[in-house]
Amino acid sequence: MAANCSWEAPSGGRNKVCPGPGEVPELQGRGFLTMEQLALLPPPAVMNYIFLLLGLCGLVGNGLVLWFFGFSIKSSPFSVYFLHLAGADGSYLLSKAVLSALNTGGFLGAFADYVRAVCRLLGLCAFLAGVSLLPAVSLERCLSVLFPTWYWRRRPRRLSAVVATLLWLLALLVTGVHNYFCVFLSRQASEVACGHMDVFLGILLFLVCCPLMVLPCLALILHVECRARRRQRSAKLNHVVLAMVAVFLVSSIYLGIDWFLFWVFQIPAPFPEYVTDLCICINSSAKPVVYFLAGRDKSQRLWEPLRVVFQRALRDGPELGEAGGGTPNTVTMEMQAAPGYPS
């Protein structure tokens, strides 16, 4: 099978070597999104330090988001989603940092293998939860902008928390089924079943989640463009949602090309797997930076408290003093005054 080919570097140059039928490695293929280090090219040693640095920095950023959105900022429908996104991204970065630390230290043995297996399961579950939360955020934001009166008056009070919980349960279920077919089944049965699960994961991510997050963003962009023609500045929350989806799409290009070429055309991935892992780590670490850049006030020369910056990133409506923003968003104020407005 083409995916089981590897590269060796003898004195005469680099040659591609494919094992025979009896030499196929125990884990077939690349193992889509399992974070098993089965790349065609082994990652350089420096990549472990890069993953460790990215993981620690991302953990600090997502930890701040968890603290401020969970304890310091008044809860809102979108802060609940951002809270769960920070939990998913932090869990993925934690698993990747632990794996990198184990690889850097060269830890071996049964306990180290057990920790690696747990980290891979945690990383896959967290990644699936994070990707599935983005369409929910995009859809809700599109509904709240295009149909504000209907959205704020008819929307169930705990909808964000319920949707986020269901998406976490879905991620746990998919991760458990994937682990069962790819790890616990016998070798011959696992080879076929795991391949089918990898195809299912690719379809779920690239053909279901991506359109569900992109189409509402396109509608949101059109709406923002129409407001711009009337010289009205869009809400910062729109910028946050659009930026998060854009960062995910850019960072998942390599992963999508990898999956499409391998599972559709049986062509070995053109990128080493550590490149796709690096893009996922960047995506998981970038969301706190997006909140900060969207919420900071350029007119403030002095350093503002992060709580104020993050709270401003959740602002729904043009700011006071902006063009077309002499008064706050009327619909938002009316909805906030309504008894059914979620706190």
Side-chain angles (χ1 to χ4, degrees):
M1 189 173 175
N4 294 322
C5 300
S6 60
W7 292 89
E8 63 178 11
S11 58
R14 296 173 68 251
N15 297 322
K16 196 170 186 179
V17 178
C18 295
E23 302 172 346
V24 178
E26 181 179 356
L27 291 172
Q28 303 285 333
R30 287 168 57 90
F32 181 69
L33 293 179
T34 60
M35 290 186 303
E36 313 270 4
Q37 294 300 321
L38 303 175
L40 301 180
L41 294 174
V46 70
M47 292 304 301
N48 289 321
Y49 295 100
I50 294 177
F51 283 133
L52 186 59
L53 179 62
L54 270 177
L56 294 178
C57 294
L59 281 172
V60 172
N62 285 286
L64 290 173
V65 173
L66 286 171
W67 172 258
F68 287 116
F69 284 176
F71 301 100
S72 299
I73 296 177
K74 186 177 180 181
S75 177
S76 68
F78 294 98
S79 69
V80 173
Y81 284 123
F82 295 162
L83 191 67
H84 284 271
L85 278 170
D89 292 334
S91 299
Y92 177 84
L93 292 170
L94 175 63
S95 67
K96 198 63 184 176
V98 173
L99 283 173
S100 301
L102 293 176
N103 294 334
T104 302
F107 293 99
L108 302 174
F111 180 74
D113 293 339
Y114 174 78
V115 173
R116 287 186 175 92
V118 172
C119 287
R120 288 165 185 146
L121 286 176
L122 175 63
L124 176 59
C125 180
F127 178 77
L128 292 175
V131 174
S132 59
L133 282 166
L134 285 177
V137 176
S138 182
L139 283 169
E140 281 224 23
R141 184 55 189 164
C142 182
L143 289 175
S144 67
V145 170
L146 298 182
F147 310 101
T149 305
W150 175 87
Y151 177 82
W152 291 115
R153 290 180 177 175
R154 301 293 182 87
R155 177 185 179 278
R157 185 181 181 85
R158 302 295 180 183
L159 180 62
S160 299
V162 172
V163 171
T165 302
L166 291 177
L167 292 176
W168 272 105
L169 292 176
L170 176 63
L172 284 171
L173 176 62
V174 174
T175 302
V177 174
H178 185 276
N179 189 63
Y180 172 76
F181 283 120
C182 295
V183 176
F184 291 105
L185 285 183
S186 62
R187 181 172 175 178
Q188 293 181 350
S190 176
E191 179 180 356
V192 177
C194 185
H196 291 163
M197 277 302 303
D198 288 344
V199 174
F200 169 75
L201 282 179
I203 293 174
L204 178 65
L205 295 179
F206 299 116
L207 301 183
V208 176
C209 289
C210 283
L212 286 178
M213 72 176 73
V214 170
L215 294 178
C217 283
L218 292 177
L220 193 60
I221 291 174
L222 293 176
H223 180 79
V224 169
E225 187 66 22
C226 293
R227 290 172 64 92
R229 292 178 181 177
R230 298 196 302 266
R231 296 182 179 180
Q232 294 183 1
R233 295 285 298 276
S234 62
K236 290 184 179 293
L237 187 56
N238 294 347
H239 301 160
V240 171
V241 175
L242 294 175
M244 287 195 304
V245 173
V247 169
F248 170 77
L249 293 177
V250 172
S251 62
S252 62
I253 286 177
Y254 294 120
L255 185 63
I257 295 175
D258 184 341
W259 173 81
F260 183 77
L261 291 179
F262 181 73
W263 293 111
V264 177
F265 297 106
Q266 297 295 309
I267 299 175
F271 313 104
E273 190 170 358
Y274 62 80
V275 174
T276 59
D277 287 346
L278 180 63
C279 292
I280 297 175
C281 286
I282 293 175
N283 171 67
S284 299
S285 304
K287 292 184 182 67
V289 180
V290 170
Y291 305 149
F292 176 79
L293 294 179
R296 70 188 182 95
D297 189 353
K298 297 180 181 179
S299 63
Q300 294 287 341
R301 295 184 178 181
L302 299 178
W303 181 263
E304 289 184 293
L306 283 177
R307 182 186 66 82
V308 176
V309 176
F310 286 155
Q311 189 168 12
R312 190 181 293 120
L314 292 172
R315 181 164 296 174
D316 185 7
E319 295 191 36
L320 295 174
E322 290 183 343
T327 59
N329 186 295
T330 306
V331 176
T332 303
M333 293 185 63
E334 291 176 355
M335 294 302 102
Q336 289 176 344
Y341 185 83
S343 59

